[in-house]
Amino acid sequence: MDHSLRQRVRQGDPAAFGELFDREAQAVYRHALRLSGNPQVAEEVVSVTFLEAWQGRHRLRPEGDSLLPWLLGIATNVHRNVARAARRHREALARLPPRQVVTDFADETVDRMGDAEKLHAVRAALARLRRADREVFTLCVWAGLSHAAAAEALGVPEGTVRSRLSRARTRLTKLTDEELKKTRAKPERPLPGGQHLVSRLQTARSTQETIR
């Protein structure tokens, strides 16, 4: 029972904490991955989340059912800190001279370009939401928490979660459409020597058909 596990975690039982990790680590990872879009960052968030959970176990409320909202609340805070550090790192890199990179496309990539375009648009739109709205959206929609559980995770009233979620859904739909339009309106990028991405893809496909 989660209630028994909660008590054992609060009392500092290592076996109980190991059980909690085995049960919820994947859910915390998925939440962190949705927030960051980066598997390495998500892994870091999971590690720090469980470390902070162990160190702060005495602050865990004695009553309640699932421990997942508590963990996701910690993970959300950890991600904020990790994101701030990553932003400072990106800003430092941006001050360095740019380096030209030419992407090498394969058939597998071409087949998935449509889905990748939509995923990129959703992630870009999500990043444009207010942080509070974005966190509520990821907890309720992607992590599947109830309004009450998300409120517990974020330490805000349930009514606040409902209003933020409604606002996030409306804004996200509009912003995703905007991002898709921006992506599709971008001019084709030339490759060195005047060759274009599309012609390169067509040439690769023609070569493969000739080999067949």
Side-chain angles (χ1 to χ4, degrees):
M1 296 292 292
D2 276 347
H3 180 72
S4 172
L5 182 61
R6 177 183 290 263
Q7 296 304 318
R8 289 162 56 207
V9 167
R10 291 184 75 245
Q11 292 165 6
D13 182 350
F17 204 79
E19 182 181 339
L20 177 64
F21 181 88
D22 291 341
R23 181 186 300 188
E24 305 293 11
Q26 281 300 314
V28 174
Y29 174 81
R30 287 192 296 270
H31 177 61
L33 183 61
R34 287 158 180 161
L35 284 174
S36 66
N38 185 314
Q40 292 180 329
V41 171
E43 289 175 2
E44 179 182 354
V45 169
V46 171
S47 299
V48 178
T49 293
F50 279 92
L51 175 62
E52 291 196 0
W54 174 255
Q55 293 173 340
R57 60 190 182 278
H58 60 281
R59 293 192 295 270
L60 177 61
R61 295 190 310 178
E63 73 284 350
D65 296 321
S66 173
L67 292 169
L68 184 58
W70 175 58
L71 291 172
L72 294 186
I74 296 173
T76 299
N77 289 329
V78 169
H79 176 262
R80 290 174 192 164
N81 295 332
V82 171
R84 277 195 293 267
R87 185 168 58 252
R88 288 194 294 267
H89 180 65
R90 287 194 302 270
E91 290 169 354
L93 290 179
R95 292 192 286 269
L96 298 175
R99 181 168 62 94
Q100 185 176 8
V101 177
V102 178
T103 305
D104 186 20
F105 288 91
D107 282 346
E108 180 181 353
T109 305
V110 176
D111 293 339
R112 297 178 182 175
M113 282 178 70
D115 290 339
E117 181 183 79
K118 292 176 184 177
L119 180 59
H120 175 76
V122 171
R123 290 203 179 280
L126 197 62
R128 291 172 61 187
L129 291 180
R130 292 172 50 192
R131 188 184 71 187
D133 294 349
R134 181 170 61 249
E135 291 172 352
V136 165
F137 182 86
T138 55
L139 287 171
C140 291
V141 177
W142 283 349
L145 293 191
S146 66
H147 294 154
E152 178 186 344
L154 296 173
V156 299
E158 187 174 338
T160 300
V161 168
R162 292 179 183 275
S163 61
R164 288 179 183 175
L165 181 59
S166 175
R167 184 169 58 228
R169 288 180 186 277
T170 302
R171 286 280 295 154
L172 192 61
T173 299
K174 178 183 177 183
L175 293 176
T176 299
D177 288 342
E178 289 180 5
E179 291 295 335
L180 282 171
K181 288 176 183 177
K182 284 196 301 185
T183 300
R184 291 164 181 169
K186 285 181 181 177
E188 188 178 310
R189 227 178 7 152
L191 289 172
Q195 186 182 19
H196 289 73
L197 292 175
V198 172
S199 4
R200 183 172 176 180
L201 291 171
Q202 290 172 343
T203 302
R205 282 179 170 172
S206 299
T207 302
Q208 288 180 348
E209 288 171 1
T210 302
I211 293 174
R212 293 184 191 135

